Every structure is written in C-alpha cells, then in structure tokens.
Amino acid sequence: MQGRADPQREILDVESVARHLLPAGGMFAFLAGHRRELFPDDMFADLFPTRRGRPSIPADVVASVIVLQTLHGLSDTEAAQAVTFDLRWKAACGLAVTARGFHPTVLTYWRRRLARSARPNRIFDAVRQVVAETGVLTGKTRRALDSTVLDDAVATQDTVTQLIAAIRRVAREVPGAAPVIAEWCSAHDYRDPGKPAIAWDDPDARAWLVDALVSDAHRLLGHLPEQELGAKPAEAVALLALVAGQDVEPVEDSDGTDGRWRIARRVAPDRVISTVDPQARHAHKTRARRQDGYKAHVVVEPDTGIITDTRLTPASGPENSDAAVGVDLLLGAQDNDTQDNGQPPAPGDDQPHDRPGGKRDTAAEPAGVADTAEQWEVLADSAYGTGELLDRLHRAGHTPIIKPWPLRPAVDGGFTLDDFTVTEPADGQLGTVTCPNGYTRPLSRSRSATFGALCRDCPLRARCTTSATGRTLRLHRHDAITRGHRQCARDSEFQAAYRRHRPMVERSIAWLVGGRNRRLRYRGTAANDQWLHHRVAAVNLHRLLALGLTRRPGTWALA
C-alpha cells in the first residue's frame, strides 16, 4: 500500500531544527519547503492500487531522493547513504536526525513501478508543469535541437567474447539447448565464460577459433528442437543469430556455402557491441569522435537554458538520427502546448516563405498558416539539415536557423550542386537542370538528369566530373527546400542569430552531462531513458531555482 508522510514533526526533525543553515535558493532548501506541493501523494496513487501490504516510503520522500540522486550523479547505494548520514538530505526529505533512511533496493523498486506504469516520466512532467506555471518560456520564440552521446554501462566485447556469451545464453534460456551444445559444439567448453587458451599472437590460431565458433553457432541454431519459444528464449536465439553474422564473412577462396568464416574487413552499420546490453551501439557523433553507448536528444529554449523535452535512443540507425528524433520531439512538444492552450495545430504549407535571419514573410503565406499556433525559430547544427526535417518545419510554420549540410563537389575544387540551375516540375511539365556551361537536360520522374554526350567536348568538364559517360545529377525530392535553405544560410543575419544563441545550448548540454553523468548506470533503452528524464527534471529544477523559483498561493512563479 502507499505510504504517506506524517504532517507531525519530530523533536529532532532536521528541517525544523536546522533549516536556516541550508543555503537559500538551493535545491535542499527548496525540497525541504515544497516537496509535497511538487510531488503530492495523489501523483503516485496508481502505483499502489490496493491497501494491502506494508506502507511504502512516502512518495514525496522517494521523488525528492530521485531528484537529488540524479542531480548529484549518485548510485543507489550512495543515495541511500546520503539519506542516512547527510543532514541536508534529511532536511530535504523531512526526516529526523535519528531516521535510518532506507535500503538502496527501494529506489530500484520505485523505478520499476514507475517504468511499468502508464506515466513512467511523471517526475519530469511535474517539473515541466512548474516550468509552465512560472511563465519562464512565455514569449520565447526559439527552440534549439541538439544531442549528445552518453557512454554505456557495459564493456564493449570483441567477436569471440560475444559468440561465447551468446551461446552460453542460449544454453541457459532455451529448453533443450544444453544437450545440443554438448553434442554439436566443440570449439570451446561453453561451461567456461572465459576465452579459449590459444596462441593469441598467432593469426592462424585466431582465424581457426573464429571459424570454429561461428560454425558452432550455426550448428546450434540448426539443431535446436522445434518448439514454441517465450520472449526470453526467442531473444537469446535471435541475439545468437545476429552475433554469428554481424562480424564475419566467408573466407577469401570460399563460395559462401562451405561454412568457412573469417573476421569481416568492415564494421556492420548497426553492430551489437555487447551481449550484456544488446541495445548499446557504436556512435559517430563526428568523424573524429567515436563512442559506444546511447544518444540523448534534447529540445532547449536557448535564452533560459531550459530543456523542454528529451528522449534517449540507441546511438545508431536511421530511425535514431538527430534529424528524425529531433523533429518528432519538437513538433510533439508544440502539439502539447497547443492542446494545453485549446488551440488547433497550424495547417501545413507546401513552400518555404522564410526570410534570412528568422523573419517570416507572412504576406506570402496562405490564410490560416500564420499566427494559428506558436511558431519558433529552430536552431540546430548541420546534422539536422535534412530535407525531411526542413519540410516538416516549414509545414508546421517554423523558421529553421539550421546550418545546412556542406556540399561536396564531384571534383575537388569543382562545381557543387548549387552551380546547377534546377527548375522544378509544374503544371504537368517536366523539370529541367541547367549545368554551369548552359546545357539543359530534362529531369526524369526519378529526379535524375543525365548530360551524357554533352560533357564530351565541354570546356568545363575537368571541373565538373571524372566520369567517362558524363555528369549525372540525382536530386533529392526535397532539393528545392534544401537549396533555398542554403541560400538563406549565407545571409549575415542568419549566421548572427545562430552564433548568438548557440552558446546557451552548449551550456545546457554541459549541465546535462556534468559531474559523473556522462556514463549511464543501467542497461537497455527504457531504463536509461527513464534516468535521462529524471536527470533533465533535476537540471531544469536547478535552473529554475537559479532564475528565482518561488511558491505563491496555488501556483509557481519566478521572484
């Protein structure tokens, strides 16, 4: 059953005895005075649907501990010790000096209950409601999209370790797998979690081991008994199949059917890096910076540094790209805002009508597009400069202040895509593409233009293409939008707006990962996404306190 805080204070209550020692405007003093308004008991009532069993720790106490824990980057054990021995934590939670605190597993228990509930991010939502009531974002017409890579909580495994671990997991999870392994798998004693004892400095020995382990995995998959598998056994079999194929390829003289394997001379684009956490991935935030882990996506209000929304995803895959996740977060956040205001979302608009520097040409917009919903200047780096994202922003009535993707010429120092003039199809007519030398070719239905023989005697050919068959252009379906955006991005007002507001976004990211919060503590996307929302809630609350958060009758406000 749900436990509730006792309004009666004890003689040695830290809040009443030593509250004056807590720094004014700090997180400890704020929670000491306002944790019940921020985290009322009714907010967590659905986690305890019955009145049976021992009362839980009061909701306002646990929620306060979760906020302080994620703010300071502590483990469950460290947080439980702080509640027991640190008077600031006791004051924030309304405990007496002699209170014993609670066992670290209480935090695990509450996180699991929250994760299984209909509102797993309710602590984040509670702080977001505080942000809304203060009006700190009222009139703020800019939003910034960004992401950062968070290190995973497991060690990256090599191919040999993953194969052995995956086979051992099948032995544990799948009924009837152990006898199959004993009969058909001989490359290693799979009762031993370690690596085989071979001459690791011998390339032939390493090659033999990889081939033998992959062959064992294939034989195991082929001889497993026919049966209906539950979720965990099916996941173990699928992971083994994935691990057995992601890092290997047939040997050089093999036709692919004789079962001889070697380490592949490439890296799988969505490679599983650990069987302990199969959702962790290699991340390539930049060409020079590579990490393993997950990606935290954020929407930031760049004047205040408040993070308005967030999501954690695997670090690779097109569906987890900065542009794909960022625009969903942004437009989803606006949908929430317009629903709260009782206003419908803005209708779409097929063509961009933006002026450089964030000024909108409302006269060029169809009736009903402008001023029907809150419209933002959206700041982001070039990772967000995709045609799909720009198209969705324009349709929603927003102004992109986004660094465009750099154009790479086919010949070093030669012509880029912007040196070609494109006429889009209209009124049943095919579009055309005109090259820098003035030759014009029609745009096919697949949006390609082939110059072919026209390039043969062209004096500009050396600056345009190295192809023997001449230049061929293949245009993206959003080429008109990205082309217009690149033109706007050359404007000095556009660049000044980006440079002026970008530093606060970087500062918000620094606050998010500060302390010991660059490395995650949990396995899997769901658990780490819950942690991220708790972390953002704590950072936002800390930021609001710096801006003068106070409690007025019935509402939150800034001093």
Side-chain angles (χ1 to χ4, degrees):
M1 62 181 293
Q2 181 178 8
R4 297 180 181 272
D6 187 353
Q8 298 294 327
R9 297 190 173 184
E10 300 185 25
I11 296 177
L12 296 178
D13 180 84
V14 178
E15 181 183 350
S16 58
V17 173
R19 183 176 176 181
H20 64 284
L21 298 178
L22 299 176
M27 185 68 76
F28 295 106
F30 172 80
L31 291 175
H34 303 295
R35 64 183 177 277
R36 292 190 181 92
E37 293 95 342
L38 184 61
F39 305 120
D41 290 331
D42 293 344
M43 178 178 166
F44 300 90
D46 61 298
L47 301 183
F48 303 91
T50 71
R51 299 184 60 83
R52 293 176 297 179
R54 293 180 58 189
S56 69
I57 305 295
D60 62 290
V61 174
V62 176
S64 298
V65 172
I66 289 175
V67 169
L68 291 172
Q69 177 188 17
T70 51
L71 181 65
H72 295 283
L74 304 184
S75 66
D76 290 350
T77 300
E78 291 169 332
Q81 290 175 346
V83 174
T84 303
F85 300 109
D86 194 321
L87 294 182
R88 298 171 302 172
W89 284 61
K90 287 182 178 291
C93 297
L95 301 178
V97 175
T98 56
R100 294 182 179 274
F102 48 75
H103 196 272
T105 55
V106 169
L107 294 172
T108 305
Y109 174 79
W110 271 79
R111 283 196 303 269
R112 288 179 177 174
R113 287 227 167 191
L114 285 170
R116 291 194 297 265
S117 71
R119 295 184 295 126
N121 298 322
R122 66 189 69 194
I123 293 177
F124 171 79
D125 292 336
V127 176
R128 184 156 60 177
Q129 181 62 31
V130 173
V131 173
E133 289 186 21
T134 62
V136 68
L137 301 184
T138 302
K140 303 295 186 182
T141 58
R142 299 183 184 89
R143 295 294 184 271
L145 301 176
D146 208 342
S147 69
T148 188
V149 178
L150 302 176
D151 298 325
D152 55 48
V154 299
T156 301
Q157 296 174 331
D158 57 33
T159 304
V160 170
T161 302
Q162 289 199 54
L163 285 167
I164 294 174
I167 291 174
R168 284 171 51 82
R169 181 175 176 181
V170 169
R172 293 193 307 269
E173 302 285 354
V174 180
V180 175
I181 294 174
E183 180 178 357
W184 293 98
C185 302
S186 57
H188 177 62
D189 181 1
Y190 292 103
R191 295 170 298 179
D192 181 5
K195 290 184 177 181
I198 66 167
W200 288 100
D201 57 350
D202 183 354
D204 292 336
R206 295 199 305 269
W208 172 88
L209 178 61
V210 169
D211 176 66
L213 290 173
V214 173
S215 298
D216 277 0
H218 288 177
R219 284 192 290 268
L220 173 57
L221 292 171
H223 289 85
L224 283 174
E226 294 284 343
Q227 58 184 318
E228 189 74 23
L229 296 179
K232 282 192 174 182
E235 182 181 336
V237 172
L239 180 61
L240 175 58
L242 178 61
V243 168
Q246 68 175 359
D247 291 338
V248 298
E249 62 186 7
V251 296
E252 193 168 347
D253 59 344
S254 170
D255 61 359
T257 62
D258 56 1
R260 292 184 294 144
W261 307 95
R262 69 176 183 180
I263 294 292
R265 302 302 191 264
R266 45 86 181 143
V267 177
D270 201 27
R271 182 180 185 270
V272 171
I273 63 172
S274 172
T275 58
V276 180
D277 186 357
Q279 294 176 324
R281 292 292 188 271
H282 287 308
H284 299 269
K285 184 63 174 173
T286 66
R287 288 178 176 270
R289 177 183 165 194
R290 300 184 180 184
Q291 292 176 250
D292 293 336
Y294 293 84
K295 189 176 289 186
H297 305 264
V298 294
V299 181
V300 181
E301 196 291 303
D303 289 336
T304 61
I306 297 292
I307 298 175
T308 62
D309 210 346
T310 188
R311 185 184 303 169
L312 183 133
T313 67
S316 64
E319 70 280 7
N320 302 317
S321 68
D322 289 348
V325 178
V327 72
D328 284 340
L329 276 178
L330 182 74
L331 298 186
Q334 190 196 42
D335 290 343
N336 292 337
D337 290 345
T338 55
Q339 290 171 7
D340 292 341
N341 296 331
Q343 299 177 355
D349 183 11
D350 290 335
Q351 296 296 328
H353 301 296
D354 298 328
R355 293 176 178 173
K359 299 181 178 67
R360 294 188 55 80
D361 187 1
T362 55
E365 293 177 334
V369 171
D371 300 326
T372 58
E374 189 174 15
Q375 293 162 356
W376 298 320
E377 293 180 359
V378 180
L379 289 83
D381 59 31
S382 59
Y384 296 86
T386 65
E388 289 81 0
L389 182 142
L390 294 172
D391 179 61
R392 288 189 64 182
L393 291 183
H394 284 305
R395 288 178 178 275
H398 301 306
T399 303
I401 308 294
I402 299 174
K403 292 181 68 174
W405 277 12
L407 293 177
R408 294 184 176 85
V411 177
D412 288 342
F415 298 117
T416 67
L417 186 62
D418 283 349
D419 293 312
F420 291 76
T421 302
V422 178
T423 302
E424 292 290 336
D427 299 328
Q429 301 294 322
L430 292 176
T432 61
V433 179
T434 302
C435 77
N437 198 33
Y439 295 131
T440 300
R441 297 296 296 161
L443 193 61
S444 70
R445 295 188 182 278
S446 62
R447 298 189 59 79
S448 64
T450 303
F451 290 87
L454 295 175
C455 298
R456 189 174 302 155
D457 300 319
C458 178
L460 303 179
R461 177 171 181 166
R463 297 174 57 194
C464 187
T465 182
T466 59
S467 173
T469 58
R471 183 69 181 263
T472 299
L473 249 62
R474 295 176 177 83
L475 302 182
H476 193 274
R477 64 190 181 96
H478 294 306
D479 176 73
I481 292 178
T482 55
R483 186 181 293 265
H485 181 69
R486 287 194 296 271
Q487 184 176 359
C488 288
R490 298 187 184 102
D491 187 87
S492 59
E493 291 185 33
F494 180 104
Q495 298 174 18
Y498 183 87
R499 289 194 297 267
R500 182 166 60 253
H501 298 288
R502 183 67 190 177
M504 178 56 83
V505 181
E506 299 289 348
R507 193 170 296 129
S508 296
I509 294 290
W511 291 335
L512 180 64
V513 301
R516 296 188 293 171
N517 293 290
R518 171 69 72 176
R519 179 171 292 279
L520 297 167
R521 297 183 179 276
Y522 310 107
R523 293 177 291 177
T525 304
N528 286 315
D529 182 68
Q530 185 188 54
W531 171 88
L532 177 63
H533 279 81
H534 289 162
R535 172 65 182 170
V536 170
V539 171
N540 279 347
L541 195 56
H542 190 269
R543 179 61 180 156
L544 287 173
L545 290 171
L547 296 174
L549 178 65
T550 187
R551 182 71 177 175
R552 291 178 181 170
T555 188
W556 301 98
L558 297 182

